[in-house]
Amino acid sequence: MPPDRLARQLRGFGPLGLAAILLILAGNFLFLPLSALLVLAWAQASATPWADLGLVRPKSWTRSLAIGIVFGAFFKLAMKSIVMPLLGAPPVNAHYHFLAGNTAALPVMIFTLIVGAGFGEEVLYRGYMFERLGRLLGRGKAAKIAIVLITATLFAAGHYADQGIPGVKQAAITGLVYGGIFAVTGELFMLMVAHAAFDLVALALIYWNLEAQVAHWFFARHFLSP
């Protein structure tokens, strides 16, 4: 198949285009950042500019890095201490509590959170899905709102298997926030940093057994009890 014809079919929604979408979505079931790597391969093969995926040079790398770190860290603390308690989430993440004091697990988790979540999930759920859905729904305001809602729903659903309903609630909110920011800015770098910072703060709270303490910063235990 001529390269230009292959590229057009990969960008479209015919059999080859749909097969590419399914392959990319299935990638994370094998290896967390695999979907993002497949997105980059798809962009190359389909002649899709990386800018269409939000992979653009920020005006200031230092400024975007600093904003991402501060925003991500404070966002996590706000979610843990205010939002999630009000939504009835348990103060301790039982699924990942094995990480408390578990120094041996830190290298793999840090890599997973930075590369798998910060890079991988942002490229997939924001960059790639916004590009694909944008081609289907358009680029208008109503379309962008719909895309933010759809991607946040898919992002939330992706967290059910390992974190249950509390994880779905948190991912739905973060997906709406990250998606809303991306819809406005069209840039992924700051969001990648913010996502990684968010998850690294979560890891720190678990590792140092601070989850319950932070969850009760503003609300006493009896206030949140049924």
Side-chain angles (χ1 to χ4, degrees):
M1 185 181 297
D4 56 341
R5 182 182 174 192
L6 174 64
R8 287 197 303 271
Q9 292 196 15
L10 285 171
R11 289 195 302 269
F13 296 94
L16 190 57
L18 293 176
I21 292 172
L22 292 175
L23 179 63
I24 288 171
L25 294 179
N28 279 357
F29 290 101
L30 300 175
F31 177 57
L32 188 55
L34 179 57
S35 287
L37 297 177
L38 291 173
V39 167
L40 299 183
W42 168 85
Q44 182 70 21
S46 66
T48 298
W50 282 24
D52 290 359
L53 303 173
L55 298 171
V56 298
R57 181 188 295 273
K59 294 179 181 178
S60 169
W61 290 100
T62 304
R63 181 173 178 269
S64 295
L65 181 66
I67 291 175
I69 291 173
V70 173
F71 172 70
F74 276 93
F75 187 23
K76 175 58 190 180
L77 292 175
M79 289 291 293
K80 187 67 178 180
S81 62
I82 301 174
V83 179
M84 297 309 293
L86 290 175
L87 292 178
V92 173
N93 187 330
H95 184 82
Y96 287 105
H97 191 62
F98 74 94
L99 294 169
N102 189 350
T103 305
L106 288 182
V108 172
M109 285 303 302
I110 291 173
F111 173 84
T112 300
L113 297 180
I114 294 176
V115 178
F119 166 74
E121 291 186 340
E122 288 307 311
V123 169
L124 175 63
Y125 287 100
R126 255 63 69 180
Y128 178 69
M129 289 190 179
F130 267 71
E131 194 281 337
R132 296 283 76 197
L133 290 169
R135 283 184 177 269
L136 282 175
L137 304 179
R139 309 291 181 180
K141 184 177 179 180
K144 285 187 175 182
I145 292 174
I147 292 170
V148 169
L149 293 174
I150 292 170
T151 55
T153 300
L154 294 173
F155 184 61
H159 288 73
Y160 177 77
D162 64 337
Q163 299 184 50
I165 296 300
V168 170
K169 292 178 180 178
Q170 176 171 262
I173 295 171
T174 56
L176 288 172
V177 172
Y178 295 154
I181 293 173
F182 185 66
V184 173
T185 66
E187 296 183 10
L188 272 185
F189 178 68
M190 189 281 286
L191 287 174
M192 289 178 179
V193 176
H195 192 149
F198 183 100
D199 288 353
L200 289 172
V201 170
L203 174 62
L205 296 180
I206 296 171
Y207 179 78
W208 281 303
N209 261 318
L210 296 174
E211 283 192 287
Q213 180 178 330
V214 174
H216 297 122
W217 271 356
F218 299 102
F219 304 106
R221 289 173 173 80
H222 65 80
F223 178 81
L224 298 171
S225 300

